[in-house]
Amino acid sequence: MNENNKGVLISVNGPVVVAAGLKGAKMYDLVKVGEEHLFGEIIELERDNTTIQVYEETAGIRPGEPVESTFEPLSVELGPGLIGQIFDGIQRPLEAVQDQAGDFITRGIEVPSLDREKKWDFEPKVEKGQEVSAGDVLGQVQESTTIAHKVMVPPNISGKVKSVEKGSFTIEETVAIIENEEGKEVPIAMLQRWPVRSPRPFKRKLAPSEPLVTGQRVIDTFFPITKGGVACIPGPFGSGKTVVQHQLAKWSDADIIVFVGCGERGNEMTDVLMEFPELIDPYTNEPLMKRTVLIANTSNMPVAAREASVYTGITIAEYYRDMGYKVALMADSTSRWAEALREISGRLEEMPGDEGFPAYLGTRIASFYERAGRVECLAQEDRQGSLSVIGAVSPPGGDLSEPVTQNTLRVVQVFWGLEDRLAYKRHFPAINWLISYSLYINNLEEYWEKSVAPDLSAYRTEALRLLQQESELEEIVRLVGMESLSFRERFVLEVARMIREDFLQQSAFHEMDTFSSQKKQYLILKAILIYHKEGEKGLEKGLSLRDLLSIPARERIGRAKYIQEEELESLEKIFDDIQEQISEKTRGEVESNV
Amino acid sequence: MFKEYTTVTEIAGPLLTIEQIEDAQYMEIVEIELGGGERRRGQVLMTSKDKALVQVFEGTEGIGIGSTKVKFLGRVMELPVSSDILGRVFSGSGVPIDDGPEIIPEARLNINGNPINPVARDYPTDFIQTGVSAIDGLNTLVRGQKLPIFSGSGLPHSRLAAQIARQAKVLGREEKFAVVFAALGITFEESNYFISELRNTGAIERSILFVNLADDPAVERIITPKLALTAAEYLAFDLDMQVLVVLTDMTNYCEALREISAARREVPGRRGYPGYLYTDLATMYERAGRIKGRAGSITQIPILTMPEDDKTHPIPDLTGYITEGQIIVSRELSRKGIYPPIDVLPSLSRLRDKGIGKDRTREDHPDVASQLFAAYARGREAAELATILGEASLTDEDQIFMRFSEAFEKRFVLQGEYENRDIEDTLTIGWNLLRMIPRGELKRIRDEYLDRYYEEEGKKVEAQVTHQEENE
């Protein structure tokens, strides 16, 4: 590198350093700081001075050390070999880091993001002479058993295929040559780069129409998210955010999962790392790891890299979306990312907004979530992909009025409000049914009618109404006691309890309960509501509450969640049993009156 | 040798500004010599071309402009270690204060440590039996976990921590065990209680103590937990020991951090604490864990007193977001005379589910724990209702649950300070309590376990327990 490009450090303040004399520096360019070549990114330019956020620990660094610019913005490497990997916030593969540095992450480690040695079998999908434009699939390699990795024409390139070769290649070798309009030959390798802070292009956005099925009853039936949708899940600590995120990563019917552990616990990432290769994806019968990319920047890893980690994750997710896959990204937790922004902003002595967060917090959050969506991919062919984003938020003290939650709520369509009060009662997932919402219901009604059951939507509304009524009745009980309620109302309380305990509560750790198909969800809910309907009729005919609570079918509803997916027919029988058992009681009642 | 500077230009709170120097390292250690010859130490907080901002661990009292000499030592803060550090007592800045010999170091370790690579971590699954039912049964501690105790002033958190340190063991194994204790701004009495507990049980030889008392300089507290954790890492990952780290009281640490932040005129986050409090706490708490291929482990029990018993205060709040659960000590239970006054409902051990069950504790443990929680929660709710409306207004079922929750506090949570219950005892007590509830209501327990423990073994176990109670 040219000597002239070198600058000199003039001050160090935690992760923020200032260099002087760095010629030709541009905003967001990647730089190498100090003798140890620590990675950093330019975040402010002022005359001769360049302010840099450093992605690694800066203890021991002193003014006078050299600084070099790479003249490239922070980018990720895209190509086969991403799946099944675990990267840090700036896409260094942690396994390779371990090979080089040992069990602890030291400084100044430089390892390529993707394996340069490994050969992949490239299968061309175009022919010589064919006209191609940006996004068109040149060929594919089988990246994992379930994922065919499409090698696409990079954005901004189009022309005629001059040559394309079938065979075994490393990611840096040329697999095709495209002659562009000016007659220039552009070699294409499987390895491509993309700057993390710019969204990848697509043709147009489409309205969401299909649910992202998660196997979680409270989510799929009550507050569903769509493929290409955005959801947030705020909650105080201990309310089970991470478990919900893990459940979604495990059971969502997406093709690719990108899981960003942003400023969270090291052991949680280890948990994912140890569990995912073992767990079997119910949709493909392959280990979950074969569709997962992990980004781990735990809370004790440098704060600036934490800021970058969500962008690294979403760029990789967009890349697979562009291939036409259904991708879901989980970020746990976006609050830690916002705090990283705040920390850097504080060191820059910027004017603070709410609670010390920078004034641009809202814009950053909005532009991050806007990278989600169902899109028509950039290509001549008709190809659609989707990227759903689910962000955990960790509001201080569980107070949802804080800036990160508020700014997030402004852009997301689904809100799963977690509550510690529910968690203390071990009601998991601790999603409060009264405050949560999903704005996708209208988009999904048609799908439900066609693919699940025509009356699902009606049952859903009915169940939510009963739960609402429960909270009103509980208020009355608290004021004047149970006696003031009619039998009908007491029965509502019992049914609402069943909805809560037998339907909403779902154990992530129970082998049968952890995943519920949409069919099963529907059947359980229907059973409870039929019980309610029949029970009300029974009450009218003079049955007591005790009679209704004692029918054997009721206990069977309670155990329905543990029924295996293959034995769901036994659930359908329960509808008749309920009717029969209640009318039997009614007959008994009538006879005894006679 | 190192150059000495006499160019201190500004002193504010615990901070010194020194000018006309050669480039100082960020976080470099400095030695400060006062006019009278007294030496103090400090650390560089910000460095630029010819100027550095230094925090003085022992405070700036008596430091003057002009008379003070400052020397930059060319390295960041290090802890000299060797296997001789076991059994020793150090000050909050790592100087031996027990009249023992100087440590002849085998290595000098950077006290800031390095993050464990998540790939290298081994997931904690070894059940630690603490002998405390409320912990073992419901909020199980596992090896490599960081499980804080959230307490309030005047509550017996020290006694509980000492009991855990005394009784903790992993079933069926004999291993090298060590305790690292860091006193952060606590009183002499509190610290002395802990030390004498360790002494009485002979554990002192396997312990290292770092003591910064309430009347020691507050700024020194900033480095005390880092020294303790560096020592712990050395014991765990170089000497293969199972290390339990007790840090008390983290609230004092955070306050010292706030003091420095205020002196630097930083933009404050919530309640005046610096915006980087989360990151700062995380770099310490995350130093707990296990590493694949290494025998040792670090389990952390930080103790913090919640200002005004408020769990949403930034210190407990941020701690809870980092640690793997929390044990909450409740004033209400303590007033009822229950020791240990652990409120199990808001308490939580995130690593419990992987540490209990078949082959670890007992097959029925997860279901029993889940059911005890649910039943206790329902009973407490019923009890609340009863205080407003009177017991008569409760349904029969709710009355059962209410009686259950009372019995739960008196028989399950309550135990002696020197009573060491093994996990079988804890589960037996749990089942005895669950038998107060009709079987149909026990939805969280699988039928096979109900058949086995609720019905059949019921009588036998009951007899044993009555026998035990008679003995007491």
Side-chain angles (χ1 to χ4, degrees), chain A residues 359-415:
Chain A
Y360 46 80
L361 176 72
T363 344
R364 292 279 173 94
I365 289 179
S367 53
F368 169 71
Y369 281 103
E370 268 307 290
R371 289 174 75 167
R374 193 165 76 94
V375 304
E376 208 167 289
C377 305
L378 199 65
Q380 292 178 56
E381 61 167 342
D382 189 19
R383 186 166 77 223
Q384 289 178 5
S386 67
L387 168 53
S388 315
V389 173
I390 296 148
V393 184
S394 319
D399 171 16
L400 298 184
S401 67
E402 59 91 35
V404 183
T405 314
Q406 285 306 313
N407 279 304
T408 307
L409 284 180
R410 245 181 269 155
V411 287
V412 301
Q413 304 289 308
V414 182
F415 165 63

Side-chain angles (χ1 to χ4, degrees), chain A residues 8-15 57-65 86 93-95 97-98 102-107 235-242 262-271 273-275 296 298-303 306 336 339 342-343 346-347 349-350 352 355-356 393-398 420-421 423-428 474 477-483 490 494 497-498 501-502 505 509-511 546 549 554-555 558-559 562, chain B residues 22-28 45-49 74 76 110 112 114-124 138-139 144-146 150 233 237 264 266-270 274-276 278-279 282-283 286-292 294 311-312 316-326 328 344-354 370 373-374 377-378 381 385 388-389 392-398 439-447 450:
Chain A
V8 169
L9 265 186
I10 57 170
S11 83
V12 183
N13 178 12
E57 176 58 49
T58 50
I61 305 296
R62 64 172 83 216
E65 294 195 36
I86 175 165
L94 287 172
E95 280 170 15
V97 169
Q98 189 191 14
D103 294 338
F104 292 87
I105 301 176
T106 50
R107 293 194 298 203
F237 66 85
S239 57
K241 275 185 305 297
T242 304
C262 172
E264 288 288 307
R265 305 176 182 89
N267 277 331
E268 278 168 6
M269 290 319 292
T270 312
D271 187 21
L273 269 177
M274 296 177 86
E275 204 176 24
T298 56
S299 55
N300 54 339
M301 283 154 80
V303 71
R306 188 197 300 168
R336 305 298 161 228
E339 278 164 18
R342 173 167 73 182
E343 186 171 339
R347 306 254 186 195
E349 292 170 7
E350 290 174 340
E355 294 196 18
V393 184
S394 319
D420 47 2
R421 195 179 52 85
Y424 296 164
K425 289 193 215 161
R426 298 310 189 259
H427 175 113
F428 287 117
E474 271 178 345
V477 171
R478 223 165 282 140
L479 291 173
V480 286
M482 195 59 104
E483 283 78 43
R490 286 191 210 184
E494 284 302 328
R497 183 204 292 277
M498 285 168 74
E501 292 183 359
D502 303 335
Q505 289 183 10
F509 302 101
H510 190 289
E511 61 279 12
R546 196 166 299 255
L549 298 186
R554 182 168 168 265
E555 210 187 313
R559 307 238 167 227
Y562 306 119
Chain B
E22 274 168 30
D23 306 321
Q25 292 175 9
Y26 177 62
M27 302 293 265
E28 186 170 350
L45 281 188
M46 194 163 129
T47 165
S48 53
K49 204 96 193 80
V76 297
N110 179 346
N112 297 308
N114 278 316
I116 303 177
N117 190 329
V119 173
R121 275 182 190 270
D122 201 0
Y123 198 75
L138 300 180
N139 297 296
Q145 185 172 17
K146 38 192 179 296
F150 287 8
E233 277 173 356
F237 301 130
R264 294 183 66 179
E266 289 173 333
V267 178
R270 273 205 315 153
Y276 48 81
Y278 176 84
T279 309
T283 53
E286 278 289 329
R287 290 170 82 173
R290 297 184 353 168
I291 293 179
K292 282 180 206 153
R294 303 198 193 203
K311 198 163 69 88
T312 65
D317 188 55
L318 295 178
T319 300
Y321 274 122
I322 305 162
T323 53
E324 281 133 359
Q326 66 278 338
I328 295 199
V344 298
L345 294 182
S347 297
L348 168 75
S349 163
R350 292 168 190 269
L351 303 183
R352 181 191 80 187
D353 294 290
K354 300 248 161 84
S370 162
F373 269 124
R378 187 161 167 200
E381 212 167 281
L385 209 58
I388 305 170
L389 302 164
S393 69
L394 296 183
T395 62
D396 294 351
E397 276 178 358
D398 279 348
R439 181 172 166 156
E441 288 288 333
L442 302 179
K443 284 187 192 171
R444 290 171 187 247
I445 304 184
R446 269 162 260 227
D447 273 331
L450 284 172

Side-chain angles (χ1 to χ4, degrees), chain B residues 20-325:
Chain B
Q20 298 164 39
I21 54 165
E22 274 168 30
D23 306 321
Q25 292 175 9
Y26 177 62
M27 302 293 265
E28 186 170 350
I29 292 299
V30 297
E31 197 174 84
I32 299 144
E33 196 182 318
L34 272 62
E38 187 195 337
R39 276 160 203 268
R40 291 183 194 171
R41 287 207 287 176
Q43 190 175 28
V44 174
L45 281 188
M46 194 163 129
T47 165
S48 53
K49 204 96 193 80
D50 53 0
K51 190 166 126 185
L53 184 71
V54 170
Q55 65 174 349
V56 186
F57 296 141
E58 289 93 342
T60 45
E61 202 183 77
I63 296 183
I65 291 176
S67 59
T68 308
K69 292 181 201 155
V70 180
K71 202 156 68 180
F72 290 83
L73 301 184
R75 56 183 166 84
V76 297
M77 188 76 186
E78 285 166 341
L79 177 74
V81 292
S82 83
S83 51
D84 296 334
I85 56 173
L86 273 172
R88 300 294 303 271
V89 184
F90 298 89
S91 76
S93 54
V95 182
I97 50 168
D98 55 356
D99 305 324
E102 279 287 309
I103 302 291
I104 300 161
E106 281 167 19
R108 292 179 165 275
L109 302 176
N110 179 346
I111 65 158
N112 297 308
N114 278 316
I116 303 177
N117 190 329
V119 173
R121 275 182 190 270
D122 201 0
Y123 198 75
T125 50
D126 292 340
F127 165 68
I128 298 181
Q129 182 176 294
T130 64
V132 179
S133 290
I135 296 177
D136 290 353
L138 300 180
N139 297 296
T140 317
L141 178 68
V142 297
R143 190 173 263 179
Q145 185 172 17
K146 38 192 179 296
L147 189 63
I149 298 176
F150 287 8
S151 185
S153 34
L155 292 174
H157 45 263
S158 297
R159 282 160 63 198
L160 176 61
Q163 186 173 9
I164 295 171
R166 259 195 326 264
Q167 300 179 350
K169 66 166 181 188
V170 169
L171 297 178
R173 283 197 224 164
E174 281 301 318
E175 282 167 322
K176 288 189 284 177
F177 189 75
V179 176
V180 175
F181 177 76
L184 308 167
I186 57 174
T187 60
F188 171 77
E189 269 153 67
E190 240 179 312
S191 150
N192 195 46
Y193 164 79
F194 210 92
I195 295 172
S196 58
E197 279 297 314
L198 288 173
R199 198 163 275 141
N200 292 344
T201 53
I204 194 93
E205 272 98 71
R206 292 176 289 108
S207 306
I208 307 177
L209 291 88
F210 292 88
V211 184
N212 168 284
L213 295 181
D215 56 351
D216 288 332
V219 180
E220 188 185 79
R221 270 162 226 165
I222 303 279
I223 53 167
T224 311
K226 295 186 173 120
L227 291 167
L229 288 163
T230 307
E233 277 173 356
Y234 172 72
L235 296 179
F237 301 130
D238 288 329
L239 303 184
D240 292 341
M241 301 184 87
Q242 312 301 331
V243 187
L244 181 72
V245 183
V246 178
L247 307 167
T248 177
D249 172 338
M250 287 304 288
T251 304
N252 296 332
Y253 169 86
C254 297
E255 260 150 33
L257 203 66
R258 175 165 69 173
E259 194 182 322
I260 291 166
S261 172
R264 294 183 66 179
R265 297 190 194 94
E266 289 173 333
V267 178
R270 273 205 315 153
R271 299 223 196 167
Y273 292 94
Y276 48 81
L277 183 61
Y278 176 84
T279 309
D280 192 275
L281 288 173
T283 53
M284 292 188 291
Y285 294 145
E286 278 289 329
R287 290 170 82 173
R290 297 184 353 168
I291 293 179
K292 282 180 206 153
R294 303 198 193 203
S297 68
I298 297 178
T299 308
Q300 270 188 37
I301 303 192
I303 298 172
L304 53 92
T305 47
M306 299 182 277
E308 295 160 38
D309 293 353
D310 175 12
K311 198 163 69 88
T312 65
H313 184 280
I315 300 171
D317 188 55
L318 295 178
T319 300
Y321 274 122
I322 305 162
T323 53
E324 281 133 359

Side-chain angles (χ1 to χ4, degrees), chain A residues 190-206:
Chain A
M190 286 188 266
L191 174 66
Q192 299 179 5
R193 280 174 216 279
W194 192 262
V196 296
R197 293 184 198 276
S198 330
R200 283 176 64 86
F202 48 82
K203 249 191 243 161
R204 71 178 69 83
K205 272 202 179 173
L206 304 166

